């Protein structure tokens, strides 16, 4: 397993994307950025209007809807994953874990870099991942000091939540674009 992890990390780092992949990589980058932008806008509006407890409902309901709508016009599944998930439907595959471990190392080396990766998974799908770095506005629900009423609302929607205790600047997770064709 360790050799496979090391090999995958080396491939993510050293194998340049083929020219044919450049268009797909750019599509993936745009989809991930759109998901981040749309979700962030809705969460910030909910936070401003009714606070973090309300934002949890928005994230629970709207995040999957936004991701699905972005993937609807392409042959891709758009979503998020993390090493510590809130929603068990976003649990990572082993390959995704290896990439996020690499992302953690890259962010630790250079916090100004938002790492991304492009690879073909073991099932033959092409995957794009882009790091989600913990931002200050995310701390109310994902930080180390989540208020009790927010924690209670999180556990009501996500009884097995693992996605708290993060510090600003740490890897929170990854946008994940899985292409269903080559």
């Amino acid at each position: 397993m360790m050799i496979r992890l090391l090999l995958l990390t080396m491939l993510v780092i050293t194998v340049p994307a083929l020219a044919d992949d450049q268009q797909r990589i750019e599509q993936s980058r745009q989809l991930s950025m759109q998901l981040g932008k749309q979700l962030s806008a809705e969460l910030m509006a909910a936070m401003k209007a009714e606070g973090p407890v309300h934002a949890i409902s928005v994230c629970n309901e709207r995040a999957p809807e936004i991701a699905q709508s972005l993937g609807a016009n392409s042959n891709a599944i758009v979503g998020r994953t993390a090493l510590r998930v809130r929603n068990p439907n976003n649990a990572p595959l082993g390959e995704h874990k290896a990439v996020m471990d690499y992302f953690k190392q890259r962010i630790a080396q250079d916090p100004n870099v938002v790492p991304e990766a492009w690879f073909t998974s073991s099932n033959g799908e092409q995957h794009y991942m882009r790091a989600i770095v913990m931002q200050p506005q995310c701390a109310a629900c994902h930080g180390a000091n989540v208020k009790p009423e927010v924690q209670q609302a999180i556990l009501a929607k996500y009884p097995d939540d693992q996605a708290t205790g993060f510090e600003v600047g740490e890897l929170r997770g990854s946008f994940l674009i899985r292409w269903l064709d080559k």
Side-chain angles (χ1 to χ4, degrees):
M1 178 65 182
M2 188 57 146
I3 293 172
R4 185 173 183 225
L5 175 70
L6 181 60
L7 180 59
L8 178 63
T9 302
M10 288 172 48
L11 287 172
V12 169
I13 297 168
T14 61
V15 176
L18 300 172
D20 293 344
D21 291 339
Q22 288 301 325
Q23 182 177 0
R24 186 58 59 90
I25 291 168
E26 188 53 38
Q27 286 177 296
S28 300
R29 188 176 291 127
Q30 291 304 315
L31 287 168
S32 70
M33 291 170 70
Q34 288 173 354
L35 176 57
K37 184 177 179 179
Q38 289 180 30
L39 183 56
S40 179
E42 290 198 28
L43 287 171
M44 293 308 295
M47 292 277 285
K48 185 176 180 181
E50 299 182 51
V53 170
H54 178 64
I56 294 163
S57 293
V58 170
C59 195
N60 178 264
E61 297 164 16
R62 288 293 297 145
E65 292 172 1
I66 294 167
Q68 186 174 18
S69 71
L70 290 170
N73 295 329
S74 63
N75 200 21
I77 297 172
V78 177
R80 298 170 297 159
T81 189
L83 294 171
R84 295 176 10 217
V85 295
R86 176 154 287 167
N87 182 342
N89 294 331
N90 295 340
L93 301 173
E95 295 160 321
H96 301 147
K97 290 177 185 177
V99 171
M100 286 185 286
D101 284 338
Y102 163 71
F103 285 174
K104 281 175 66 172
Q105 292 173 2
R106 288 284 295 138
I107 291 168
Q109 290 171 353
D110 185 352
N112 297 316
V113 171
V114 178
E116 56 185 349
W118 173 257
F119 63 96
T120 301
S121 70
S122 59
N123 69 1
E125 292 176 350
Q126 292 178 314
H127 290 209
Y128 169 86
M129 296 176 70
R130 182 178 176 86
I132 300 172
V133 178
M134 177 76 169
Q135 300 298 311
Q137 64 268 27
C138 304
C141 298
H142 292 286
N145 298 309
V146 176
K147 292 182 179 177
E149 64 272 14
V150 175
Q151 186 66 41
Q152 183 178 5
I154 290 169
L155 292 175
K157 297 269 187 204
Y158 306 101
D160 298 319
D161 178 58
Q162 302 170 16
T164 57
F166 291 93
E167 298 294 331
V168 172
E170 287 183 328
L171 178 71
R172 168 58 197 96
S174 176
F175 294 109
L176 172 62
I177 314 300
R178 294 176 33 218
W179 292 95
L180 302 176
D181 63 357
K182 287 188 176 186

